[in-house]
Amino acid sequence: MAQVAFKSITRPRPDSAIDWEQIAYLVLLSRAMDRIEETRLVPQKKVLYQFSARGHDMAQILLGKQLTGKHDAACGYYRSRPLLLALGVNPADALGSAMGRAGGYSDGRDIGVVFNYPNPNGASALPMCGGVGAQYTPTAGWAQALKYYVDTLGDRDYASDIAVVLGGDGSVASNGFWSALTIATTQQLPMLFYIEDNGYGISVPSTFQTPGGNIAANLASWQGLTIFDGDGTDPGEAARLTRDAVEYVRTRRKPAMLRLTMPRLEGHSFQDTQGYKDAGTIQAELERDPLPKLKDYLVPDVLSEQAWQTLSERAEATTEAAREQAESRPVADPQSVCRHVFYDGELQQLGGQHRHGYRAPASTGQAQEAGQRINMVTAIRRTLDHELSVNDRIVLFGEDVGPKGGVHAVTLGLQKTYGSGRVFDTSLSEEGIIGRAVGMALAGLVPVPEIQFRKYAEPATEQINDCGTLRWRTNNRFAAPMVVRIPGGFFKCGDPWHSQTNEVAFVHQPGWKVAVPSNAADAVGLLRASLRGNDPVIFFEHRAMLDHSWARRPYPGDDYVLPFGKASFCRKGDQITIVTWGAMVPRCEQAAEGYSADVIDLRTLMPWDREAVLSSVRKTRRCLIVHEDLGTAGFGAEIAAVVADEAFMDLDAPVSRLTMPDIPSPHNPVLLDWAVPSADRIRDKIIELLGF
């Protein structure tokens, strides 16, 4: 009889380079924290939002322990607490934030599962967002900043650091994911896309998000992207893939994707009953729980049964102590909730050039008045040119801003002078333009992204909102100062796509300053203040004023700076106050000829000069507000409300507004001229109010 040789199958030994005892402890700690929330804190209504990480925890912790670079950064989402524990977050901060207590991530301002962690001793966790997919493009911006520090500034201290973004299988259908993927692969950035595929986006199967349900398979032929794909519940495989993916990005300086499959062992949130899963599916997921697999992998080869039990008891004790400490923390003083909307003198812990020691050059508010009058296009270009020359952290980018110089020629020649590392074109994605600017600002650069026309900012609305609230919702831990240049308004004609103003939408986004200069000198002063400041700014460039003869002024000087919130009196008088901005300023000046009027150019809408308006109205006793935007809910309504509230007894006539009707800008010049307030219509309104 032939003899059959049996090959002995030996279980692979755990990678000795990994501190498996620490990995096991952190997984047990994460489980204990989830358990105490689910069984005690949520039922007691001490935690209002709870997103269990069970099933995701082991692989995240393996990832976090690979992030050892001084400037490594990761941006996760609401199921990323295990990663934060691996980076060194205090468990009491984690539980305290979940309970909305003082201290922790936000001082109770943001939901506790939306983490941030400015880590001075290693990898930071960039501020997470509540919106699915919003984490991708800011992480791409951080990765591009790492590349900028090395390639453009020659700073080798950033040469081996990486950016990591975490997302679920549902998030790969978002605009942010595809925009970041395009940015990372076309620019070859050191960025790792870490996709946790648990098969569901809340209740929607992954096959609804991606054909076949496997984003890694779908992207196998995506040029410039290396794919790693495997089982996130197998300790050995997850450790190997995580190590290989991180090492690839760190050494090759190229993007990669690591997709790991894993079960979500709880509902999307605590309130989710998972009624959309049948009993067989739930049982199959429980059988894939990585925690028993981890124990089986380590005991007895690395840890004894008693050692494992000791780690478990230690994790439980740490969690209970963290709960006691968190519950002892008070709720923040309600009056403090209005702090840190803008920079108020206390420097943020991470983000912006000032955090890196920037000190603005000496400036003056006195404009030079000699010299040739230049148009606003030239004035803005000259200001950008000068600030680029004295500050190597400034970067300009957007669609067509490079060799073409922008569709309005504002950046013409700047790429030739400063190179494509500092002035560059982007892919056609406003989400990507603003999102990457957020990441670059967090990394200490001064991004100056351009949105070609006001209406085109709409796809970036989520990133604009998230950027504005970033300082506030992290309680001044992070800030992302930038200057977003947006041309808009009518020109020789109008249309619904290129000619809107709608500045009020930005004013209603907390944390954004908004500049609306009407002339070349004001544009210089406000732009320079923005570039040297410590807050995000919307810098509105009115298309009709870019080459308008009235808007031409002598260049006011390379050190000329205008403060925000300080209006300009274009005319002085005592019969009526006319409040306006942008392209309506010269029309109001023309209409006021022959009358004794204060014509006030606000110059900035956030903040706006309330005192100048109120003091003028108390003197003239009449107020007319003129703007190009729609009347209903336009910014003029805010001014009118303040005047009525604070100067009502001083008025001799009703506060009046003259605006566009509630329609988009018409294309035909005849229709446009009818819709936009003209000097004649403004004059008629002045006469009407003076005769009241």
Side-chain angles (χ1 to χ4, degrees):
M1 179 182 293
Q3 292 186 344
V4 178
F6 291 93
K7 184 177 181 180
S8 175
I9 300 175
T10 58
R11 189 168 68 173
R13 292 279 301 177
D15 185 348
S16 60
I18 294 175
D19 185 348
W20 286 105
E21 181 175 345
Q22 179 69 357
I23 298 297
Y25 168 70
L26 290 173
V27 175
L28 290 164
L29 178 62
S30 179
R31 289 294 173 102
M33 293 175 69
D34 278 338
R35 187 181 309 111
I36 202 170
E37 288 178 337
E38 293 163 9
T39 61
R40 293 171 59 181
L41 300 179
V42 171
Q44 293 171 359
K45 300 191 183 326
K46 293 177 180 178
V47 169
L48 302 179
Y49 281 92
Q50 201 273 342
F51 290 78
S52 175
R54 288 191 288 123
H56 290 235
D57 35 23
M58 183 190 72
Q60 273 190 36
I61 288 165
L62 286 167
L63 171 67
K65 284 301 179 181
Q66 291 288 333
L67 302 183
T68 56
K70 179 180 177 182
H71 305 294
D72 283 354
C75 194
Y77 62 115
Y78 40 74
R79 216 176 304 283
S80 299
R81 185 166 65 192
L83 175 79
L84 271 292
L85 295 175
L87 295 182
V89 161
N90 185 337
D93 280 352
L95 286 179
S97 294
M99 288 187 269
R101 301 303 177 92
Y105 309 127
S106 71
D107 230 29
R109 298 170 180 220
D110 205 348
I111 56 177
V113 295
V114 179
F115 307 104
N116 67 80
Y117 183 48
N119 186 3
N121 302 312
S124 293
L126 303 182
M128 302 176 189
C129 303
V132 174
Q135 68 271 32
Y136 286 105
T137 52
T139 310
W142 184 279
Q144 188 160 357
L146 297 176
K147 184 179 175 70
Y148 181 87
Y149 278 118
V150 176
D151 294 351
T152 303
L153 300 186
D155 190 341
R156 302 297 301 174
D157 193 39
Y158 294 79
S160 62
D161 298 307
I162 67 171
V164 180
V165 64
L166 287 74
D169 51 283
S171 71
V172 302
S174 69
N175 292 341
F177 171 80
W178 292 102
S179 180
L181 186 65
T182 299
I183 294 169
T185 51
T186 59
Q187 305 303 308
Q188 287 293 278
L189 302 180
M191 178 174 176
L192 175 62
F193 292 79
Y194 177 87
I195 306 302
E196 302 174 279
D197 192 340
N198 61 37
Y200 288 88
I202 304 185
S203 67
V204 180
S206 58
T207 51
F208 282 54
Q209 317 291 349
T210 304
N214 184 342
I215 189 64
N218 278 269
L219 291 175
S221 62
W222 190 280
Q223 188 171 343
L225 182 71
T226 297
I227 302 286
F228 300 85
D229 190 13
D231 184 354
T233 71
D234 181 289
E237 184 173 346
R240 175 180 56 80
L241 287 171
T242 302
R243 179 201 62 210
D244 291 351
V246 170
E247 183 180 6
Y248 176 87
V249 177
R250 200 179 293 286
T251 58
R252 301 288 188 90
R253 317 306 294 158
K254 295 179 180 180
M257 172 178 288
L258 170 58
R259 170 185 174 264
L260 295 176
T261 59
M262 57 195 62
R264 191 187 71 199
L265 298 177
E266 184 59 69
H268 169 71
S269 62
F270 184 80
Q271 292 78 12
D272 179 14
T273 63
Q274 301 199 88
Y276 44 86
K277 294 181 181 178
D278 59 38
T281 299
I282 292 176
Q283 181 59 35
E285 289 180 333
L286 290 173
E287 291 172 358
R288 296 188 64 225
D289 186 345
L291 182 58
K293 292 185 178 185
L294 179 63
K295 181 179 180 181
D296 183 61
Y297 187 66
L298 298 181
V299 178
D301 291 350
V302 176
L303 298 170
S304 67
E305 181 69 40
Q306 180 57 48
W308 179 275
Q309 183 61 30
T310 300
L311 288 177
S312 180
E313 292 170 358
R314 176 183 160 205
E316 294 289 345
T318 299
T319 299
E320 183 60 27
R323 181 201 61 77
E324 290 180 4
Q325 183 180 342
E327 288 202 53
S328 70
R329 295 179 178 181
V331 174
D333 180 355
Q335 294 186 3
S336 71
V337 80
C338 291
R339 293 191 63 208
H340 305 315
V341 176
F342 296 102
Y343 172 59
D344 53 15
E346 181 183 338
L347 197 61
Q348 62 273 11
Q349 295 180 42
L350 195 150
Q353 60 183 342
H354 291 264
R355 183 70 261 179
H356 288 254
Y358 171 79
R359 296 294 180 267
S363 62
T364 178
Q366 186 66 41
Q368 299 177 13
E369 299 181 355
Q372 180 183 1
R373 288 164 58 90
I374 58 175
N375 64 16
M376 194 186 290
V377 166
T378 306
I380 294 171
R381 185 191 304 128
R382 188 166 172 180
T383 305
L384 291 172
D385 189 359
H386 176 75
E387 295 302 306
L388 280 161
S389 72
V390 298
N391 187 351
D392 58 12
R393 290 183 179 271
I394 295 177
V395 286
L396 272 62
F397 53 92
E399 298 161 21
D400 303 307
V401 304
K404 180 177 174 61
V407 294
H408 300 93
V410 173
T411 59
L412 189 65
L414 294 180
Q415 187 182 79
K416 184 176 181 180
T417 302
Y418 297 99
S420 58
R422 300 191 65 193
V423 182
F424 56 88
D425 291 323
T426 67
S427 49
L428 203 160
S429 169
E430 285 75 21
E431 149 88 28
I433 291 171
I434 302 301
R436 90 166 78 184
V438 173
M440 296 172 87
L442 289 170
L445 302 183
V446 185
V448 188
E450 177 183 287
I451 301 295
Q452 280 189 344
F453 297 94
R454 166 64 188 89
K455 182 70 169 61
Y456 294 1
E458 305 305 337
T461 298
E462 181 175 42
Q463 291 297 336
I464 290 172
N465 176 271
D466 291 348
C467 176
T469 62
L470 197 149
R471 183 192 296 276
W472 179 88
R473 59 187 162 87
T474 66
N475 197 30
N476 206 39
R477 283 177 149 204
F478 287 85
M482 67 177 71
V483 183
V484 182
R485 297 179 38 251
I486 307 181
F490 71 89
F491 185 36
K492 296 177 180 177
C493 59
D495 66 72
W497 317 110
H498 304 85
S499 306
Q500 310 311 299
T501 55
N502 193 23
E503 315 97 327
V504 71
F506 300 122
V507 177
H508 208 65
Q509 302 278 6
W512 283 95
K513 291 185 173 180
V514 180
V516 285
S518 66
N519 61 74
D522 287 357
V524 170
L526 292 172
L527 180 57
R528 181 165 289 117
S530 303
L531 293 168
R532 296 180 177 183
N534 196 23
D535 285 302
V537 175
I538 300 291
F539 189 81
F540 195 79
E541 301 169 3
H542 201 291
R543 296 167 64 217
M545 308 309 290
L546 289 174
D547 193 31
H548 196 289
S549 59
W550 178 92
R552 297 184 180 189
R553 301 285 192 279
Y555 181 68
D558 288 339
D559 55 357
Y560 182 60
V561 172
L562 276 177
F564 274 64
K566 186 66 174 176
S568 171
F569 281 76
C570 303
R571 295 177 69 94
K572 289 276 194 173
D574 57 16
Q575 289 183 305
I576 188 171
T577 298
I578 304 172
V579 185
T580 189
W581 58 90
M584 295 296 100
V585 176
R587 297 188 180 203
C588 288
E589 269 202 350
Q590 181 183 348
E593 290 179 2
Y595 301 94
S596 183
D598 274 354
V599 177
I600 301 177
D601 178 359
L602 285 182
R603 302 199 288 201
T604 67
L605 300 184
M606 178 54 72
W608 65 283
D609 196 341
R610 297 161 59 106
E611 291 309 311
V613 172
L614 289 170
S615 63
S616 175
V617 169
R618 290 180 178 125
K619 176 185 66 175
T620 67
R621 311 183 78 82
R622 288 172 172 80
C623 182
L624 171 61
I625 303 158
V626 181
H627 63 70
E628 180 184 339
D629 196 9
L630 314 186
T632 301
F635 191 69
E638 170 67 15
I639 300 170
V642 169
V643 171
D645 186 45
E646 300 187 31
F648 179 78
M649 300 304 294
D650 298 294
L651 292 170
D652 287 341
V655 180
S656 186
R657 289 178 292 156
L658 185 61
T659 71
M660 282 264 291
D662 292 344
I663 59 171
S665 298
H667 179 56
N668 186 285
V670 174
L671 303 179
L672 179 70
D673 289 344
W674 178 89
V676 176
S678 64
D680 289 341
R681 288 172 58 201
I682 298 168
R683 186 178 298 109
D684 290 343
K685 203 68 175 176
I686 293 172
I687 294 170
E688 176 186 330
L689 285 175
L690 291 177
F692 183 83

